[in-house]
Amino acid sequence: MTNDVRPAPETTPGIEELEAQERRLVLPRFTYDDAWALGSLLVELARERRAPVAVDIHRAGQQLFHAALPGSTPDNDAWIARKRRVVERYGCASYLVGARFRAKGTTFEASSRLDPDLYAAHGGSFPLHVEGAGVIGTVTVSGLPQVDDHRMVVEALERFLGEG
């Protein structure tokens, strides 16, 4: 008998975990310099992993940061816009919105009544929630499977807040 210890496969985060992430990842403020720092952190994470992603940060309708890494495509920019609109409309992570629809036995595309060419409840866009101000913007990654896009953003926010 061998001691073949394998790491447990990563599970897809459930609604409770996704909601807990949003409660935990609240920023004390969010300035132009913070957008640069968070965006640069995401680019650094993506480069370390050779992830073919595009990164975007918006605040109050203004794009504060955008980077496209090798292997990303114009489609990633379209996905960013669609995922960002979901966060702006629902006030929570695009992955959480999709998970809530799936938990009801349906899909965002089938039940949201929103144009799927404009909205995508796929992982990768996360609200920038500032203490005392609410959701003021979004941070979005596109280019990986949706759960990995989501995880990259969460990891960057954790590091940015000094949690990771």
Side-chain angles (χ1 to χ4, degrees):
M1 178 192 270
T2 63
N3 285 337
D4 187 14
V5 179
R6 294 181 190 164
E10 287 193 42
T11 59
T12 302
I15 291 173
E16 300 77 22
E17 181 181 347
L18 296 168
E19 289 173 344
Q21 289 171 348
E22 291 197 9
R23 286 190 301 273
R24 195 178 77 234
L25 299 173
V26 175
L27 304 158
R29 67 184 186 298
F30 198 75
T31 66
Y32 289 94
D33 289 338
D34 292 329
W36 180 262
L38 178 58
S40 297
L41 176 58
L42 276 160
V43 167
E44 181 183 320
L45 288 173
R47 283 189 174 153
E48 286 172 5
R49 297 166 191 178
R50 293 186 174 101
V53 299
V55 176
D56 182 87
I57 297 176
H58 264 72
R59 184 183 70 184
Q62 182 181 18
Q63 185 178 54
L64 301 185
F65 185 94
H66 187 86
L69 278 76
S72 65
T73 69
D75 282 345
N76 296 122
D77 293 333
W79 276 100
I80 283 170
R82 292 168 61 216
K83 293 190 279 189
R84 185 185 77 242
R85 285 186 196 103
V86 167
V87 176
E88 291 168 348
R89 183 165 187 122
Y90 288 86
C92 59
S94 54
Y95 194 73
L96 175 56
V97 172
R100 286 177 173 159
F101 276 91
R102 288 187 297 277
K104 293 177 187 172
T106 186
T107 65
F108 177 82
E109 295 78 11
S111 299
S112 71
R113 298 177 152 212
L114 296 172
D115 184 343
D117 288 337
L118 297 176
Y119 295 87
H122 291 255
S125 192
F126 202 91
L128 293 170
H129 188 152
V130 172
E131 273 178 44
V135 176
I136 55 91
T138 59
V139 53
T140 310
V141 168
S142 176
L144 302 171
Q146 66 170 326
V147 71
D148 295 329
D149 281 346
H150 176 82
R151 284 188 175 123
M152 183 176 282
V153 171
V154 168
E155 180 182 345
L157 284 168
E158 288 170 345
R159 288 189 187 189
F160 184 75
L161 287 166
E163 295 181 14

